[in-house]
Amino acid sequence: MAFTVISGLGKLISFLSKKVRARIEYMKCFRVVSLKPEQPSRGNVLLSYRIEPFFLKPDEPIPNDHTWHWECRQIAQTFLDLGYCVDVIQFHNHKFVPEKDYAFFIDIRHRLEALSPLLNKDCIKIFHSDTAHILFHNAAESNRLLALQQRRGITLNPRRFEPPNLGIEYADCATVLGNEFTINTFSYAKKPIYRVPISTTGVYPWPEEKDFEACRKNFLWFGSGGLVHKGLDLVLDAFAQMPEYHLTICGPVNKEEDFEKAFYNELYYTPNIHTFGWVDISSSKFIEIANSCVGIIYPSCSEGGGGCVITCMHAGLIPIVSYEASVDVHDDFGVILKESSVEEIKNSIRMIASLSPLELKSMARKAWEFVRVNHTREKFTESYRNVVEKILSNQGKKDKHERTWETDKFLVS
């Protein structure tokens, strides 16, 4: 009896503790973090992004499960370095009302539409896009779900749907983490769009001892939630038909119960498919998996920069990706899928696996070198500052020459 009471009390305490933590996290969403530069201020900046990284303790590491943890802090730091005070709010903080003039307002979703009428007229409004346009994004996932239904006779739930936002339409200009694909989904708005190449959460040395002969038939699918959106269903169907090739899966499969149920046999009872679930990219397990595979296969239907692909390229993997993955892939170090059909995936896997170990090593090395140059925190820092300075320069021209912007389609800095 005593054990039962203690056990019940423990469960109640655990439940209440979770409720309290959830309430604290909820209240954080409506706070404002105010940061000041070391030098005298030249104005104020409002950043509507993610507020969680600004509550980290000085000795607390920045989470490595997504690039935004570091990138939103670096955006704030850029403006601090330029001499601005920075106010940071959560991107879904619908209670915030501006009470001061802002030189810049940066937002990633709906606050541009809501707050633009309340801002001073000379505020430069920047839409910071970490996705493709949400209308495209939603339609692409719907098409994938419909194709799956027609292919296998099953209906799964959408996982990545979002309410559309009018950020680009209320903005003066935009910054985009992805490549031409992502940029083109916003081109209808006819606003200046500046590319800031996505950073990375992991940088790894070149795997000198990797055996490309041994791993030539081994491939990795590595991604986050939205398994159909990110093409795992297509990859499973392809590898289930190719028993001589091996697929390793690293992603939150068990969090999408309908997907897991529909593909249970492929995920757990197909000899050449190995499901690990989520793997920390800073762990030795991730390095071990990367070194046992020759490439990453990632036929996503819509991305804002393909961060998981960038991570795997840093780990020495050859990318086989959809155009919509929004990652720059050249013919000498990877494959861009044109249709992302099961047959095309199978053909691409066979083509890569047929190459000699020397050719595979050369491709992997070029992919690794490419991201080391173009997708690092240092590159993001440099590019973002260059873009802000370019926007300031353009704003000066706008004020001087009857308020007309430069007409660049997009600028890569």
Side-chain angles (χ1 to χ4, degrees):
M1 177 66 73
F3 176 79
T4 302
V5 171
I6 293 172
S7 176
L9 182 61
K11 289 181 180 179
L12 177 61
I13 292 173
S14 176
F15 172 77
L16 292 175
S17 178
K18 289 179 181 178
K19 294 286 284 186
V20 169
R21 288 198 299 270
R23 182 64 180 173
I24 292 172
E25 291 302 313
Y26 175 76
M27 293 306 296
K28 280 183 180 179
C29 292
F30 299 105
R31 291 178 61 181
V32 179
V33 174
S34 294
L35 308 170
K36 294 183 178 181
E38 294 182 358
Q39 63 266 50
S41 172
R42 60 187 289 191
N44 302 303
V45 170
L46 178 60
L47 174 60
S48 167
Y49 202 164
R50 304 298 292 255
I51 204 167
E52 300 93 334
F54 296 92
F55 291 117
L56 293 173
K57 298 175 182 177
D59 58 344
E60 194 173 356
I62 297 175
N64 63 6
D65 60 322
H66 201 284
T67 61
W68 62 255
H69 296 283
W70 178 85
E71 287 174 355
C72 63
R73 286 182 30 144
Q74 184 54 43
I75 289 172
Q77 187 61 52
T78 297
F79 285 102
L80 290 172
D81 292 342
L82 289 169
Y84 292 93
C85 295
V86 179
D87 290 337
V88 185
I89 62 172
Q90 189 76 337
F91 70 96
H92 51 73
N93 181 350
H94 59 275
K95 295 182 179 182
F96 176 83
V97 177
E99 296 180 349
K100 63 181 78 167
D101 284 354
Y102 288 102
F104 288 90
F105 176 35
I106 303 96
D107 176 51
I108 65 168
R109 289 294 188 276
H110 296 270
R111 295 303 93 206
L112 264 166
E113 179 180 356
L115 297 182
S116 287
L118 307 179
L119 295 167
N120 45 294
K121 298 298 183 183
D122 59 344
C123 177
I124 301 173
K125 300 182 291 295
I126 303 174
F127 181 61
H128 181 71
S129 176
D130 60 350
T131 70
H133 193 286
I134 294 301
L135 277 183
F136 182 98
H137 170 104
N138 290 348
E141 182 167 348
S142 291
N143 286 334
R144 285 288 181 88
L145 290 166
L146 181 60
L148 172 60
Q149 182 192 71
Q150 298 302 304
R151 193 172 74 250
R152 295 193 52 150
I154 53 176
T155 300
L156 301 187
N157 293 316
R159 298 286 178 169
R160 306 290 296 203
F161 274 22
E162 291 186 31
N165 66 72
L166 302 181
I168 187 68
E169 295 170 37
Y170 279 82
D172 294 307
C173 58
T175 51
V176 171
L177 297 176
N179 65 8
E180 180 186 48
F181 157 72
T182 305
I183 289 166
N184 285 341
T185 68
F186 293 101
S187 62
Y188 75 95
K190 302 187 186 306
K191 300 291 179 71
I193 298 177
Y194 301 84
R195 184 179 181 189
V196 181
I198 192 170
S199 67
T200 186
T201 53
V203 177
Y204 313 95
W206 170 250
E208 293 287 354
E209 305 303 319
K210 186 166 183 173
D211 187 340
F212 284 90
E213 175 60 37
C215 71
R216 62 190 300 145
K217 292 187 176 182
N218 301 339
F219 295 82
L220 173 67
W221 183 93
F222 177 77
S224 57
L227 303 175
V228 174
H229 186 106
K230 296 173 183 293
L232 181 56
D233 60 313
L234 298 165
V235 175
L236 286 170
D237 281 352
F239 277 85
Q241 299 172 31
M242 299 190 298
E244 68 274 31
Y245 300 92
H246 286 262
L247 173 68
T248 296
I249 299 167
C250 294
V253 174
N254 61 353
K255 291 186 177 181
E256 298 185 23
E257 294 179 0
D258 57 346
F259 184 97
E260 186 179 39
K261 180 180 178 181
F263 289 91
Y264 202 86
N265 186 61
E266 288 84 356
L267 288 166
Y268 303 114
Y269 289 102
T270 303
N272 64 314
I273 297 175
H274 318 282
T275 302
F276 280 87
W278 186 253
V279 176
D280 186 340
I281 63 162
S282 64
S283 67
S284 59
K285 187 64 179 178
F286 175 75
I287 299 299
E288 178 186 336
I289 290 171
N291 287 341
S292 70
C293 296
V294 72
I296 174 173
I297 173 70
Y298 191 75
S300 178
C301 66
S302 178
E303 295 290 335
C308 58
V309 178
I310 300 299
T311 296
C312 289
M313 291 169 69
H314 270 290
L317 293 175
I318 297 169
I320 306 170
V321 300
S322 58
Y323 171 70
E324 296 82 2
S326 201
V327 177
D328 293 330
V329 173
H330 303 159
D331 290 343
D332 59 346
F333 64 73
V335 175
I336 293 285
L337 301 167
K338 295 179 180 179
E339 301 173 352
S340 293
S341 65
V342 172
E343 282 304 312
E344 185 183 23
I345 291 169
K346 289 164 60 178
N347 291 337
S348 297
I349 293 297
R350 289 178 178 131
M351 184 274 290
I352 291 295
S354 70
L355 299 176
S356 70
L358 190 60
E359 290 172 308
L360 294 173
K361 183 176 181 179
S362 175
M363 290 181 72
R365 177 78 187 198
K366 287 176 182 176
W368 179 82
E369 290 175 346
F370 179 83
V371 291
R372 298 275 289 200
V373 170
N374 294 285
H375 294 283
T376 62
R377 289 179 173 180
E378 293 76 15
K379 182 64 176 179
F380 181 95
T381 299
E382 175 191 355
S383 297
Y384 194 82
R385 175 153 182 158
N386 287 344
V387 164
V388 172
E389 290 177 342
K390 185 72 173 179
I391 291 171
L392 280 168
S393 173
N394 281 345
Q395 179 66 16
K397 294 175 185 177
K398 177 180 174 182
D399 294 336
K400 185 176 180 180
H401 300 294
E402 299 180 356
R403 306 180 75 79
T404 57
W405 284 81
E406 265 188 22
T407 57
D408 304 49
K409 180 183 177 185
F410 63 90
L411 301 170
V412 180
S413 55

